[in-house]
Amino acid sequence: MRVTDVRVSFRQRPHADDPIRDALQTLTGGGSVSVEIDSDDGLTGRSETSFGRLDGAPRTLATLISAELAPIVRGSDAELVGAVVEAMRAETEYHGSSGVTTFGISAIDVALWDLLGRAHGVPAYRLWGACRDRLPAYAMVGWSNYDLDKLRAVCAAAAEQGFRGVKIKVAAGDLADDVARIEAVRAEVGAGVAVMVDANQALGVDEAIRRGLVFADLGVAWFEEPLPAYDVRGYAELRRRVPVPIATGENLYTAREFRDFLEAGAVGVIQPDLRRAGGPTAIREIASLAAAYDVPYASHGGGPAALSLLMAGPTACWLETGLRSSPEAFPRLEDGCALAPAGPGFAWQ
């Protein structure tokens, strides 16, 4: 099965009147990039990559895919996905294959796996050696710009929709503010719903230890990305000192960076991001590493491709997503679990 064409388009997102915020940044602007890969069998594989902050980012990513990556992919054997990925990495090595380049490689990789699933008439996760067909899901709903009333309301809505957990942002204010937010959410959702907290790289080691010890007493399920993403030694120290699982990984690139954290004992829950980690091909490597180190694996973000990867990860534990817009919206939930995509490739219905 040969690739006959690669088509790329992008879409700008209108600015919100009240953009969401975390402890690091305000998330406005951005948009998404769509990739369609056609084969000589008459099939098309698709991907859509969100780019959630800078206005110029979608156009930049679309240009990189069109000008640098698409020529490598056209004419290639669509069933040799690993070879195509390695060819893209080699071609982009001169200016670096991480950063926005990895976003582009991931977009191609997702579309190729979608194409293969469609060619075989099965969900992509069944091509990878499935471990399960469902997984607990939590909703990331507690943005830093929400006051306590809105925070309670969105977390209550997530619990009512059936999610087994909620995640809220911390570290935008002082420790007292964090405690008030956690206690408000816990009182709202009850003991049966997990509460995760995310600091978005805003703290240093000493302050992360101080807050982490308090968060442990409050019973949070994990303390996410308290330190800058690159600080392997800091994360290892935090794991030694704080009796709460330390989650990180959304800002790591490729399996090699995850390997460094796993070897150092610096992560309690790994969270590869589909775009930054390098797409399904790379995340399958990361999931295998996590299994070898007995470390739980949760997604960062939660579209059908991310959910499909969790279905094949031996230590997968949680899908991250947001509130569902309707009872028919992705993901399909049953008893707090997201059900695996049912259509070919990454088609979820």
Side-chain angles (χ1 to χ4, degrees), residues 4-296:
T4 56
D5 198 13
V6 179
R7 289 170 283 123
V8 186
S9 60
F10 70 93
R11 180 173 57 85
Q12 296 291 147
R13 182 185 301 113
H15 284 208
D17 293 333
D18 183 20
I20 54 177
R21 297 196 303 271
D22 58 36
L24 181 67
Q25 60 198 339
T26 298
L27 296 166
T28 190
S32 61
V33 175
S34 297
V35 173
E36 294 182 310
I37 296 180
D38 298 331
S39 75
D40 57 7
D41 287 353
L43 299 172
T44 299
R46 297 176 174 85
S47 72
E48 183 163 345
T49 302
S50 65
F51 218 138
R53 187 156 182 256
L54 301 176
D55 282 337
R59 181 189 296 272
T60 299
L61 179 58
T63 300
L64 182 144
I65 295 171
S66 296
E68 295 193 29
L69 303 181
I72 301 167
V73 181
R74 289 191 186 97
S76 65
D77 185 339
E79 295 188 278
L80 297 181
V81 180
V84 176
V85 168
E86 288 304 317
M88 290 189 290
R89 289 174 180 167
E91 186 68 15
T92 56
E93 187 277 334
Y94 186 81
H95 60 61
S97 295
S98 60
V100 69
T101 306
T102 302
F103 276 58
I105 291 172
S106 172
I108 294 286
D109 196 32
V110 171
L112 285 172
W113 281 111
D114 184 55
L115 177 62
L116 276 186
R118 293 174 187 277
H120 291 279
V122 297
Y125 79 94
R126 292 196 175 272
L127 299 174
W128 299 331
C131 296
R132 61 190 64 81
D133 63 5
R134 65 197 62 206
L135 196 76
Y138 74 87
M140 169 51 236
V141 291
W143 296 96
S144 293
N145 53 305
Y146 294 172
D147 62 22
L148 289 183
D149 286 341
K150 185 164 186 178
L151 187 66
R152 292 188 191 96
V154 295
C155 290
E160 289 169 5
Q161 287 189 2
F163 287 100
R164 289 194 185 180
V166 295
K167 188 165 75 182
I168 66 173
K169 301 297 187 180
V170 294
D174 59 17
L175 177 56
D177 179 67
D178 288 350
V179 170
R181 292 169 65 81
I182 295 167
E183 289 182 337
V185 170
R186 173 55 68 210
E188 190 67 36
V189 302
V193 176
V195 178
M196 296 81 163
V197 299
D198 183 359
N200 290 104
Q201 308 182 73
L203 304 173
V205 173
D206 290 343
E207 183 63 14
I209 291 171
R210 186 173 81 95
R211 297 197 191 201
L213 291 172
V214 175
F215 296 163
D217 289 338
L218 294 172
V220 301
W222 72 51
F223 186 10
E224 181 174 333
E225 217 177 24
L227 309 176
Y230 58 80
D231 190 1
V232 178
R233 288 188 296 178
Y235 275 98
E237 175 68 10
L238 193 58
R239 283 205 70 213
R240 287 192 291 269
R241 301 280 297 278
V242 174
V244 168
I246 304 300
T248 193
E250 70 180 80
N251 286 295
L252 299 182
Y253 288 86
T254 77
R256 293 178 179 85
E257 293 191 2
F258 283 88
R259 177 197 61 196
D260 293 343
F261 272 74
L262 290 162
E263 285 181 347
V267 58
V269 180
I270 65 159
Q271 299 172 297
D273 177 276
L274 185 64
R275 303 158 301 174
R276 299 185 186 95
T281 297
I283 289 184
R284 291 175 64 213
E285 297 173 359
I286 293 163
S288 294
L289 282 172
Y293 281 90
D294 296 316
V295 172

